[in-house]
């Protein structure tokens, strides 16, 4: 899965690309003209879908692409939920909607229905953010080099305001913000802006935020990786020792971002990578990998194994699907400044040192203003492991003086243990999704939907089955 939380970005091709661009002019469309008649390969459905652009920026120079699906039943009685993927630079539409929790997943020439789509419970809004991701673009290409957390949050706020102008019936709806990975930055930063705006004049009905395997404070999140890999048998005792003493992952990453990796870190990381092998997906250490996307020479392993009903090659399918001209037409999307739709942008040069901004204090102030916060972890992810997140939320509860209201216990989905949970002060929750990857709704769709529904209803996770 490609929604890497912090990726090294390649910028070399940008200058050459730009010579060939012609940017479309400002897009002005109504909700009606954004309505999707039918997506290629899609069976008829009872709910409405919309896709198109919302322009933001002083000169409306940035066009953000969104995909919106109404709830399957009674949309007018259901909340509005925004979903963000991370990266920074990965597509909420391609990865989130069409791989994780939306109603369709591409498979060859058709779209298969996801029975656990989150639009069974809510009206779901996905946006490709910031400009430079997916079908979103800017007419000022300097934006791609000047993007950071602060700007992204401001633009997501501007996006939301303008989207609500286009869809006024959602203006007073209960609003939830959800997402994963680097959205551990986007979501608290946007929620903070909404809460501030509300202090001027009540504008948003923010009712809760949920963050999946989120980056909240990078030492704890990254450095829980060594123990996770070791305890899952992925690295040896001796490698665990050097990975936790001589070069921690946070040290390696900060050296990488500063362009100066020490020889000890080179040694430690190459040892970790060798033992892990490229046949293990670090976003889910137990899931089979998509062999075709590894682009490897070896034919020793059997190709493209399917694990249960999960298609581990779904990301390749999504890339193929979104690059079809008929699909782009149906979505009212266009490629501007890039030749290809990508799940994670290669033109965006996000300020990577923003990775070090801790968003835990924002979570604290969000909780203090009375907004419920849920942090959940797919428990097979080694990139942002559950252990670090659990420590963070426990620590935050202690700092906020929140006592445990639901002690650590299992929760159920489909007559099996769906994971573990603990709740503090009836407002701050932690939960694991058992067997879940970094993209938990992708690998454990049924469990993720049970968790999502409880979160929306403000109810404890099921204690029995
Ligand atoms: C283009 O973007 C850069 C960086 O985002 C900004 O400094 C500059 O003023 C913008 N140029 C115009 C013409 O808007
Ligand atoms: C939390 O628990 C402690 C010890 O039992 C108690 O003194 C305190 O009043 C509790 N705080 C709240 C907010 O309930």
């Amino acid at each position: 899965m490609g929604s890497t939380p912090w990726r090294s970005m390649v910028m070399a091709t940008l200058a050459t690309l730009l010579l060939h661009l012609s940017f479309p002019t400002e897009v002005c469309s109504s909700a009606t003209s954004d309505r999707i008649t039918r997506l290629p390969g899609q069976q008829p459905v009872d709910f409405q879908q919309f896709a198109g652009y919302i322009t933001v920026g002083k000169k409306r120079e940035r066009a953000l692409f969104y995909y919106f699906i109404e709830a399957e039943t009674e949309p007018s009685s259901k909340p509005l939920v925004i979903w963000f993927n991370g990266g920074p630079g990965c597509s909420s539409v391609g990865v989130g909607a069409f791989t994780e929790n939306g109603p369709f997943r591409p498979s060859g020439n058709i779209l298969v229905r996801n029975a656990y789509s989150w639009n069974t419970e809510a009206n779901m809004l996905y946006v490709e953010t910031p400009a430079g991701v997916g079908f979103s673009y800017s007419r000022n290409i300097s934006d791609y080099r000047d993007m950071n957390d602060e700007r992204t949050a401001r633009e997501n706020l501007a996006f939301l305001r303008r989207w609500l102008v286009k869809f006024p019936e959602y203006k007073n709806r209960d609003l939830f913000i959800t997402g994963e990975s680097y959205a551990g930055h986007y979501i608290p930063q946007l929620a903070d802006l909404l809460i501030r705006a509300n202090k001027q004049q009540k504008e948003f009905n923010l009712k809760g935020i949920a963050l999946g395997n989120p980056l909240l404070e990078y030492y704890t999140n990254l450095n829980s990786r060594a123990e996770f890999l070791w305890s899952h048998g992925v690295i040896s005792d001796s490698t665990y020792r050097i990975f936790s003493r001589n070069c921690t992952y946070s040290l390696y990453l900060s050296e990488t971002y500063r362009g100066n990796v020490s020889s000890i870190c080179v040694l430690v990381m190459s040892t970790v990578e060798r033992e892990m092998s490229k046949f293990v997906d670090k976003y889910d250490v137990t899931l089979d990998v998509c062999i075709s996307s590894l682009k490897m020479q070896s034919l020793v392993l059997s190709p493209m194994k399917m694990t249960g009903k999960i298609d581990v090659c779904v990301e390749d399918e999504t890339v193929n699907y979104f690059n079809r001209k008929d699909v782009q037409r149906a979505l009212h999307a266009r490629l501007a400044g890039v030749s290809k739709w990508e799940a994670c942008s290669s033109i965006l040069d996000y300020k990577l040192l923003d990775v070090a901004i801790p968003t835990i204090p924002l979570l604290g102030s969000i909780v203090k203003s009375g907004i419920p916060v849920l942090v959940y972890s797919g428990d097979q992810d080694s990139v942002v492991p559950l252990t670090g997140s659990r420590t963070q939320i426990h620590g935050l509860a202690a700092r906020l003086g929140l006592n445990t209201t639901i002690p650590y216990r299992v929760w159920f989905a489909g007559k099996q243990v769906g994971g573990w949970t603990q709740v503090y002060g009836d407002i701050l929750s932690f939960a694991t999704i058992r067997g879940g990857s970094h993209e938990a709704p992708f690998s454990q769709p049924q469990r993720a939907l049970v968790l999502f529904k409880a979160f929306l209803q403000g109810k404890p996770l099921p204690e029995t089955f």
Side-chain angles (χ1 to χ4, degrees):
M1 303 300 297
S3 64
T4 43
W6 33 82
R7 327 163 49 233
S8 43
M9 304 282 166
V10 183
M11 286 303 293
T13 50
L14 184 61
T16 37
L17 267 177
L18 297 176
L19 300 174
H20 307 287
L21 314 183
S22 68
F23 286 105
T25 47
E26 156 118 27
V27 197
C28 263
S29 57
S30 63
T32 321
S33 61
D34 282 1
R35 185 152 170 227
I36 296 170
T37 328
R38 195 193 295 190
L39 293 170
Q42 178 212 311
Q43 292 300 303
V45 289
D46 289 335
F47 54 86
Q48 300 205 60
Q49 311 177 67
F50 302 83
Y53 288 93
I54 298 285
T55 52
V56 299
K58 274 202 194 73
K59 297 175 193 144
R60 296 279 157 78
E61 68 276 30
R62 289 185 282 286
L64 298 182
F65 180 75
Y66 78 91
Y67 172 58
F68 175 59
I69 36 177
E70 287 191 336
E72 271 186 44
T73 54
E74 297 180 52
S76 59
S77 69
K78 295 209 164 72
L80 173 64
V81 174
I82 311 179
W83 169 271
F84 288 107
N85 279 85
C90 297
S91 164
S92 309
V93 177
V95 183
F98 284 80
T99 307
E100 298 189 63
N101 51 28
F104 309 113
R105 292 180 182 182
S107 176
N109 285 328
I110 62 154
L111 290 176
V112 291
R113 279 299 295 274
N114 168 22
Y116 304 104
S117 173
W118 286 14
N119 83 321
T120 54
E121 299 297 331
N123 301 286
M124 296 294 303
L125 174 58
Y126 302 85
V127 54
E128 294 191 308
T129 179
V133 178
F135 294 120
S136 296
Y137 60 85
S138 175
R139 280 185 284 138
N140 175 357
I141 46 93
S142 303
D143 283 336
Y144 302 149
R145 258 167 285 158
D146 194 37
M147 202 44 78
N148 55 45
D149 278 12
E150 202 217 312
R151 286 192 65 185
T152 303
R154 262 193 285 124
E155 288 189 2
N156 289 340
L157 172 66
F159 164 82
L160 181 57
R161 281 191 169 130
R162 289 182 54 80
W163 187 88
L164 288 169
V165 170
K166 204 179 238 190
F167 291 84
E169 66 271 36
Y170 288 91
K171 185 113 177 77
N172 298 314
R173 237 19 113 74
D174 284 357
L175 171 68
F176 294 86
I177 314 179
T178 61
E180 76 198 9
S181 195
Y182 198 83
H185 282 213
Y186 297 163
I187 297 169
Q189 288 160 348
L190 174 61
D192 183 55
L193 293 184
L194 301 190
I195 291 166
R196 281 167 199 272
N198 275 353
K199 282 183 183 148
Q200 307 295 314
Q201 185 194 346
K202 175 85 174 152
E203 202 182 338
F204 305 100
N205 253 334
L206 184 62
K207 293 291 182 195
I209 65 173
L211 308 112
N213 297 74
L215 183 73
L216 298 173
E217 177 275 297
Y218 96 120
Y219 291 100
T220 311
N221 288 133
L222 299 184
N223 294 339
S224 57
R225 185 180 289 201
E227 189 188 32
F228 187 92
L229 291 174
W230 170 72
S231 67
H232 283 70
V234 177
I235 59 171
S236 66
D237 291 351
S238 59
T239 301
Y240 173 49
R241 257 192 310 276
I242 55 169
F243 197 18
S244 41
R245 283 182 204 164
N246 303 56
C247 174
T248 60
Y249 199 75
S250 65
L251 176 63
Y252 166 70
L253 207 69
S254 65
E255 288 183 359
T256 304
Y257 289 164
R258 288 175 173 86
N260 187 12
V261 183
S262 62
S263 56
I264 181 68
C265 278
V266 170
L267 174 74
V268 169
M269 292 315 299
S270 65
T271 310
V272 168
E273 268 161 33
R274 191 181 64 244
E275 290 181 0
M276 182 160 190
S277 102
K278 66 181 174 193
F279 300 103
V280 166
D281 183 344
K282 54 184 178 294
Y283 297 99
D284 185 334
V285 296
T286 57
L287 191 68
D288 289 342
V289 290
C290 177
I291 301 298
S292 71
S293 65
L294 285 176
K295 298 183 181 69
M296 44 150 210
Q297 304 301 308
S298 167
L299 295 173
V300 180
L301 300 177
S302 58
M304 289 179 35
K305 253 196 273 167
M306 302 280 272
T307 313
K309 289 201 194 88
I310 299 295
D311 178 1
V312 295
C313 293
V314 71
E315 188 175 304
D316 292 4
E317 304 263 16
T318 308
V319 171
N320 292 337
Y321 189 74
F322 279 89
N323 279 300
R324 282 169 54 175
K325 288 282 167 265
D326 56 343
V327 171
Q328 291 170 8
R329 262 194 309 277
L331 286 168
H332 316 121
R334 68 197 68 107
L335 290 170
V338 289
S339 55
K340 199 171 173 294
W341 180 92
E342 293 176 299
C344 295
S345 171
S346 55
I347 58 164
L348 186 70
D349 187 20
Y350 204 90
K351 188 183 168 198
L352 290 175
L353 289 174
D354 276 6
V355 106
I357 296 174
T359 53
I360 276 273
L362 284 180
L363 284 194
S365 66
I366 292 163
V367 166
K368 274 196 213 148
S369 68
I371 311 283
V373 172
L374 164 67
V375 169
Y376 67 86
S377 300
D379 68 3
Q380 302 305 306
D381 177 25
S382 78
V383 174
V384 183
L386 81 100
T387 43
S389 305
R390 190 171 56 187
T391 304
Q392 286 171 331
I393 298 312
H394 192 78
L396 177 62
R399 286 195 296 283
L400 294 172
L402 296 175
N403 290 344
T404 296
T405 42
I406 295 179
Y408 205 69
R409 65 156 172 86
V410 294
W411 61 273
F412 291 90
K415 302 196 176 174
Q416 297 290 340
V417 169
W420 281 259
T421 186
Q422 180 156 2
V423 180
Y424 304 88
D426 286 323
I427 192 163
L428 176 62
S429 311
F430 173 76
T432 63
I433 295 182
R434 188 168 163 235
S437 59
H438 191 68
E439 292 88 359
F442 156 74
S443 51
Q444 288 295 340
Q446 185 185 12
R447 290 172 186 170
L449 181 61
V450 169
L451 178 95
F452 179 60
K453 189 174 174 182
F455 162 70
L456 294 180
Q457 296 177 342
K459 290 191 180 147
L461 282 158
E463 203 168 355
T464 54
F465 59 85

